[in-house]
Amino acid sequence: MKKSFKQLMFLGVIALVLTILAACSGDGAKETDAEGTSSNGKTQVLKVAFNQPENHPQYKAMEEFGEKLKERTNGAYEIEISPNELLGAQRETIELVQTGTIAMSIVAGSLLENFNEDFAVFNLPYVFESAEHQMSVLNDQEIVGDLYSSLKDQGLFVAGAFHSGVRNVYNSEKPINTPEDLKGLKIRIIESDTNIQMMEQMGGTGTPMGQGEVYTAIQSGVIDGGENNELIYSNLKHAEIAPYYSYTKHLMFPDYLLINSQLFDGMSEEHQQIFKEELLAAIDREVEMWDEDVKKAIEDAEAAGAKFNEVDIEPFRKATESIVQEKLTSDTAKDLYEKVREAAK
């Protein structure tokens, strides 16, 4: 009997210790210890919505980002990317991030104008001179810090900005060298009043249309061409029906990585810092991969019949100056624009 009593006492002590440890640790996947290991050994999966395929430079950069984030946080976080609009179109995924249904989404810069019109500064014609200029501005917290945090009361935080190429005009008729060359040509544009005005000032007629309809529309003569970067131009086989690709370099939209603001604010300071550092590294890597993929895209497009030509962009820049001034409607927007242009010098 004495032996059984001792055994019961021993088991009771063990049970009490385990209960105390469980109460201290909790069960939240977000909780981590000082070394960054999840306190209950679980990994929090961060779902990311993406509208392009797995071979896109941004997808590949986010994969590398996920590997580094998981490694440096000792498994506290894992990135799970859903490509090809599997989680919905970009506008829909913004709402999913706001509600916390998913953690993150990569979206076109123009969509954020609906949440804060000052984002329009980075979507104006000829605001950026090069990818290097664009990235030096869009990831400089002294310039964009307040803007990126301005959406937190709406459940969003802009964690960073990716390069998404330079948009140029292409068509089925002829090379474009001056605004006069665009006269009479219907060019597919992203749907927005700003883009309609921009194309009109550049000499053409802007025709809003879904990207999936463009090939058939050019082929049937409904429109004469489009405007986009070399990757989209080549991947969608538009060189087959619109072989004249002219470097007007009129737009350089960024793509933003949005994260649910409560999720980001709930991370430890250490994890926030790791997140920021690895995202910046991924953005730099994405620019490198973009350049590599553009070279391949040009080769493929030329093999399909494309003819690329350089353009004196000054006449186009001057033609669109009025829309730039028209969109700088607030003191914040004007200040941002001046900082962007100053960074180009």
Side-chain angles (χ1 to χ4, degrees), residues 211-315:
Q211 188 64 269
E213 305 171 53
V214 176
Y215 188 103
T216 303
I218 297 175
Q219 190 176 42
S220 62
V222 173
I223 59 176
D224 301 293
E227 53 85 46
N228 219 314
N229 62 67
E230 299 97 331
L231 294 189
I232 301 298
Y233 176 66
S234 178
N235 291 342
L236 296 183
K237 311 297 183 184
H238 288 180
E240 297 174 353
I241 37 84
Y244 301 102
Y245 190 100
S246 306
Y247 280 102
T248 49
K249 302 178 183 178
H250 53 276
L251 285 177
M252 203 178 296
F253 283 143
D255 283 337
Y256 296 109
L257 178 66
L258 296 179
I259 184 170
N260 177 271
S261 57
Q262 288 186 319
L263 168 63
F264 186 78
D265 289 343
M267 292 181 178
S268 67
E269 289 185 13
E270 179 192 6
H271 285 173
Q272 286 184 0
Q273 186 61 33
I274 291 171
F275 187 102
K276 292 175 181 178
E277 289 173 2
E278 293 304 333
L279 180 58
L280 285 176
I283 288 169
D284 288 342
R285 179 70 182 120
E286 185 263 352
V287 174
E288 294 175 3
M289 289 189 286
W290 189 282
D291 290 343
E292 294 167 3
D293 287 2
V294 163
K295 292 176 183 177
K296 179 65 166 55
I298 291 173
E299 291 175 1
D300 292 344
E302 287 178 331
K307 300 174 182 177
F308 293 86
N309 69 286
E310 294 294 333
V311 177
D312 178 5
I313 66 173
E314 285 309 311

Side-chain angles (χ1 to χ4, degrees), residues 23-280:
C24 291
S25 65
D27 60 0
K30 292 181 183 178
E31 294 183 12
T32 57
D33 62 22
E35 285 75 38
T37 307
S38 177
S39 60
N40 62 359
K42 293 182 179 179
T43 296
Q44 186 174 6
V45 178
L46 306 180
K47 294 186 178 181
V48 184
F50 189 50
N51 72 331
Q52 298 292 334
E54 293 93 332
N55 64 350
H56 194 280
Q58 291 173 5
Y59 183 96
K60 292 183 286 187
M62 284 297 293
E63 272 194 319
E64 293 182 10
F65 165 71
E67 292 169 4
K68 291 292 187 181
L69 182 66
K70 185 175 182 178
E71 177 186 337
R72 291 189 61 192
T73 61
N74 294 326
Y77 300 100
E78 182 175 333
I79 298 294
E80 182 182 289
I81 314 167
S82 296
N84 300 310
E85 292 191 341
L86 290 175
L87 298 179
Q90 289 185 345
R91 192 181 300 275
E92 297 166 356
T93 63
I94 293 176
E95 296 175 3
L96 295 177
V97 174
Q98 284 182 292
T99 59
T101 305
I102 62 175
M104 291 179 274
S105 180
I106 298 175
V107 303
S110 56
L111 292 176
L112 295 194
E113 294 181 34
N114 298 321
F115 298 88
N116 183 343
E117 62 183 11
D118 291 333
F119 277 94
V121 171
F122 303 137
N123 306 325
L124 294 173
Y126 299 105
V127 66
F128 298 115
E129 301 293 328
S130 65
E132 291 75 20
H133 175 212
Q134 183 189 45
M135 292 296 95
S136 71
V137 169
L138 293 178
N139 293 295
D140 183 342
Q141 289 303 305
E142 291 187 6
I143 297 177
V144 301
D146 290 341
L147 182 67
Y148 286 5
S149 297
S150 69
L151 308 183
K152 281 193 171 184
D153 61 348
Q154 300 179 66
L156 301 169
F157 174 58
V158 180
F162 285 104
H163 178 62
S164 64
V166 183
R167 301 179 78 93
N168 305 285
V169 169
Y170 57 90
N171 75 98
S172 60
E173 301 293 325
K174 58 187 176 181
I176 302 301
N177 290 292
T178 68
E180 288 73 27
D181 292 332
L182 275 170
K183 187 175 182 179
L185 297 184
K186 294 180 180 179
I187 305 297
R188 182 266 175 180
I189 56 168
I190 296 175
E191 185 174 358
S192 81
D193 291 338
T194 300
N195 287 331
I196 291 174
Q197 290 177 257
M198 176 197 69
M199 188 52 63
E200 181 180 352
Q201 291 175 353
M202 288 175 64
T205 300
T207 305
M209 183 180 294
Q211 188 64 269
E213 305 171 53
V214 176
Y215 188 103
T216 303
I218 297 175
Q219 190 176 42
S220 62
V222 173
I223 59 176
D224 301 293
E227 53 85 46
N228 219 314
N229 62 67
E230 299 97 331
L231 294 189
I232 301 298
Y233 176 66
S234 178
N235 291 342
L236 296 183
K237 311 297 183 184
H238 288 180
E240 297 174 353
I241 37 84
Y244 301 102
Y245 190 100
S246 306
Y247 280 102
T248 49
K249 302 178 183 178
H250 53 276
L251 285 177
M252 203 178 296
F253 283 143
D255 283 337
Y256 296 109
L257 178 66
L258 296 179
I259 184 170
N260 177 271
S261 57
Q262 288 186 319
L263 168 63
F264 186 78
D265 289 343
M267 292 181 178
S268 67
E269 289 185 13
E270 179 192 6
H271 285 173
Q272 286 184 0
Q273 186 61 33
I274 291 171
F275 187 102
K276 292 175 181 178
E277 289 173 2
E278 293 304 333
L279 180 58
L280 285 176

Side-chain angles (χ1 to χ4, degrees), residues 9-25:
M9 286 293 291
F10 177 77
L11 292 173
V13 171
I14 293 296
L16 179 61
V17 170
L18 290 174
T19 300
I20 294 172
L21 288 174
C24 291
S25 65

